[in-house]
């Protein structure tokens, strides 16, 4: 009996010693688990989000409310809901993160919703843009955009500019279906006609058949949503190679297609393209100038040009810092969500607010045209609609 007691005492002592550094770290650190693709075809999503987060920390320091802020990054390697879910569980139970953030891709964000509901951990989405994500858990907020929020203004712009017949091409998953649904709804309500619709696979798409179908239908314009990066490059290439512009077909899109991060690689074929979006690196404001400066100071040149995901990474950290200040560094899920609801600030993109009802972002949506600015391709804003809420819910 005595032996068992002393064995127990030894075990308890060992456990206490082991637990002590973790408990101590909780008192002095705010850990942010960042789940995103950092490798594979969507590697730039994680790269851009983290680069934006680092920019914020460079500008504002890496401590808030007396605690050190630590980013704990985890790679999903692409759209991988089961992996995202497991990483979220590990970050919460093993690494004891107080926030989850990142999430470039919708399927990964969706998979983590039940995990944060269960653990009551606040989750700040830095990109994933399918409207319904924020309805999946009361612990989710989003600082990026929703696809319906940026698609409706494109339909309105088309109607105002004499475009009456449009073909839609979207990626066949959440945000693409949101884009097709919202564009069609707004466009038809204003008297427009949909000439046809095609959905392309999220993984390894080949756009030649879609581009040919559009060409054969001869609409006035094609409206496109594709996830930012390589897919836009491939689509625009196919559009030009098959002579759609020469056939008089206009290309209109959400700003994902003319992603600032890959615009230079897309080349002059993009000149004149009209897109609707919430952020352009060419946005003229003191806040954007500060962001671009901090981005360049905080990151290696090899991370490339900043885009909307980098800007949202920066805003993600703004929300986390403001919550930490308000709660004096003691992060509690329910109190954090209460602090987030109704939060307003001036982002590099312009004035924004977290809608207290939906926990989604209300913001200005800009209409932009690809032009040369200081010798470089840029999404130049020429019109705007202030205070746009997500119309998708
Ligand atoms: C998404 O998966 O929600 C997503 C990905 C890339 C984008 C927009 C949305 O450009």
């Amino acid at each position: 009996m005595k032996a068992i007691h002393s064995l127990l005492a030894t075990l308890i002592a060992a456990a206490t010693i082991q637990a002590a550094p973790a408990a101590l770290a909780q008192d002095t650190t705010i850990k942010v688990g960042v789940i995103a693709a950092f490798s594979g075809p969507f590697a730039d999503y994680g790269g851009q989000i983290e680069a934006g987060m680092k920019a914020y920390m460079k500008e504002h320091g890496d401590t808030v409310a007396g605690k050190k802020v630590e980013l704990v990054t985890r790679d999903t390697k692409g759209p991988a809901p089961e992996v995202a879910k497991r990483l979220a569980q590990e970050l919460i139970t093993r690494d004891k993160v107080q926030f989850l953030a990142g999430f470039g891709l919708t399927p990964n964000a969706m998979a983590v919703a039940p995990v944060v509901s269960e653990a009551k951990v606040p989750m700040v989405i830095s990109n994933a843009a399918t409207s319904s994500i924020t309805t999946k858990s009361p612990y989710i907020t989003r600082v990026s955009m929703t696809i319906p929020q940026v698609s409706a203004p494109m339909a309105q712009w088309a109607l105002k500019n004499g475009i009456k017949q449009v073909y839609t091409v979207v990626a066949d998953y959440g945000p693409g279906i949101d884009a097709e649904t919202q564009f069609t709804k707004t466009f038809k309500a204003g008297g427009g006609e949909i000439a046809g619709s095609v959905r392309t696979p999220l993984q390894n798409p080949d756009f030649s058949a879609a581009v040919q179908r559009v060409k054969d239908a001869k609409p006035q314009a094609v409206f496109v949503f594709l996830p930012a990066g390589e897919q836009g490059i491939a689509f625009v290439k196919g559009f030009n190679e098959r002579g759609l512009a020469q056939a008089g077909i206009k290309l209109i899109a959400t700003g994902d297609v003319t992603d600032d991060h890959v615009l230079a690689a897309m080349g002059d074929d993009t000149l004149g393209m009209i897109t609707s979006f919430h952020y352009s690196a060419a946005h003229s404001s003191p806040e954007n100038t500060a962001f671009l400066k901090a981005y360049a100071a905080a990151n290696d040149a090899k991370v490339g040009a900043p885009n909307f995901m980098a800007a949202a990474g920066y805003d993600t950290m703004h929300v986390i810092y403001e919550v930490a200040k308000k709660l004096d560094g003691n992060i509690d899920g329910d109190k954090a969500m209460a602090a987030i609801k109704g939060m307003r600030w001036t982002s590099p993109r312009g004035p924004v607010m977290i809608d207290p009802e939906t926990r989604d972002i209300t913001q200005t949506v800009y209409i932009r045209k690809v032009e040369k600015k200081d010798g470089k391709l840029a999404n130049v804003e020429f019109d705007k609609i202030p205070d746009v809420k997500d119309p998708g819910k």
Side-chain angles (χ1 to χ4, degrees):
M1 196 63 186
K2 206 170 163 224
I4 291 175
H5 267 141
S6 75
L7 178 65
L8 263 180
T10 313
L11 282 174
I12 290 166
T16 314
I17 291 163
Q18 282 228 313
L24 209 66
Q26 286 305 300
D27 292 343
T28 56
T29 324
I30 292 179
K31 283 191 181 182
V32 181
V34 184
I35 298 178
F38 288 92
S39 62
F42 299 96
D44 284 346
Y45 291 21
Q48 282 290 296
I49 291 168
E50 189 187 12
M53 290 175 159
K54 284 186 177 166
Y56 191 89
M57 293 168 74
K58 182 88 183 175
E59 192 182 342
H60 297 86
D62 63 358
T63 58
V64 66
K67 299 199 175 179
K68 189 149 169 65
V69 180
E70 194 186 316
L71 303 180
V72 188
T73 55
R74 292 288 182 267
D75 184 6
T76 64
K77 302 189 166 87
E82 287 312 313
V83 175
K85 191 171 180 179
R86 176 176 53 76
L87 293 175
Q89 280 160 342
E90 286 174 7
L91 282 166
I92 292 170
T93 54
R94 222 160 55 202
D95 298 281
K96 306 267 186 281
V97 299
Q98 287 102 320
F99 291 91
L100 282 180
F103 303 100
L105 290 154
T106 286
N108 297 344
M110 287 284 195
V112 172
V115 179
V116 294
S117 286
E118 172 84 24
K120 300 190 193 310
V121 169
M123 165 167 165
V124 186
I125 293 184
S126 316
N127 184 60
T130 301
S131 173
S132 64
I133 296 172
T134 44
T135 68
K136 305 296 178 197
S137 169
Y139 294 93
I140 298 181
T141 187
R142 173 160 43 198
V143 300
S144 48
M145 57 154 168
T146 79
I147 291 296
Q149 184 180 45
V150 294
S151 298
M154 197 69 254
Q156 282 153 357
W157 184 89
L159 290 163
K160 259 200 292 185
N161 287 273
I163 297 172
K164 292 273 173 253
Q165 208 206 27
V166 170
Y167 208 103
T168 65
V169 177
V170 302
D172 190 8
Y173 78 122
I177 293 161
D178 268 8
E180 182 192 288
T181 306
Q182 186 65 50
F183 185 90
T184 301
K185 187 174 166 194
T186 309
F187 195 58
K188 279 189 170 170
E193 185 197 323
I194 299 295
S197 302
V198 59
R199 296 178 183 174
T200 52
L202 173 60
Q203 305 263 36
N204 309 312
D206 172 359
F207 298 113
S208 46
V211 168
Q212 191 59 45
R213 274 170 70 178
V214 175
K215 190 176 182 188
D216 293 345
K218 298 192 184 63
Q220 277 176 288
V222 55
F223 167 73
V224 182
F225 165 80
L226 293 170
E230 300 296 325
Q231 298 204 10
I233 302 181
F235 186 86
V236 171
K237 194 160 171 267
F239 183 89
N240 285 296
E241 279 173 3
R242 287 191 186 231
L244 273 71
Q246 289 87 325
I249 302 168
K250 287 195 176 65
L251 177 49
I252 57 176
T254 62
D256 307 84
V257 171
T258 57
D259 169 5
D260 292 317
H261 186 64
V262 296
L263 197 52
M266 292 172 92
D268 289 356
D269 283 348
T270 53
L271 279 170
M273 260 187 75
I274 307 286
T275 57
S276 52
F277 223 31
H278 57 300
Y279 178 74
S280 165
H283 182 70
S284 170
S285 74
E287 291 79 14
N288 193 39
T289 304
F291 162 65
L292 295 175
K293 195 173 149 211
Y295 180 93
N299 296 291
D300 271 8
K302 71 173 191 301
V303 65
N307 70 4
F308 61 106
M309 295 194 202
Y314 182 87
D315 283 329
T316 296
M317 293 317 286
H318 175 81
V319 167
I320 290 172
Y321 274 49
E322 289 304 305
V323 169
K325 282 187 214 163
K326 210 158 182 179
L327 303 185
D328 207 15
N330 302 311
I331 310 304
D332 162 273
D334 291 308
K335 287 183 187 152
M337 295 318 294
I340 288 168
K341 288 177 191 173
M343 197 184 276
R344 290 174 187 272
W345 72 101
T346 308
S347 151
R349 69 191 95 164
V352 299
M353 194 258 285
I354 301 297
D355 184 331
E357 304 296 319
T358 62
R359 290 162 275 103
D360 249 323
I361 194 158
T362 300
Q363 59 192 332
T364 305
V365 177
Y366 304 86
I367 308 293
R368 313 99 48 86
K369 187 179 196 170
V370 179
E371 288 174 7
K372 284 259 167 80
K373 207 181 147 198
D374 306 325
K376 284 190 189 144
L377 291 168
N379 287 296
V380 178
E381 295 161 350
F382 66 90
D383 202 356
K384 62 179 179 185
I385 309 148
D387 300 325
V388 182
K389 278 189 178 202
D390 173 32
K393 285 192 280 287

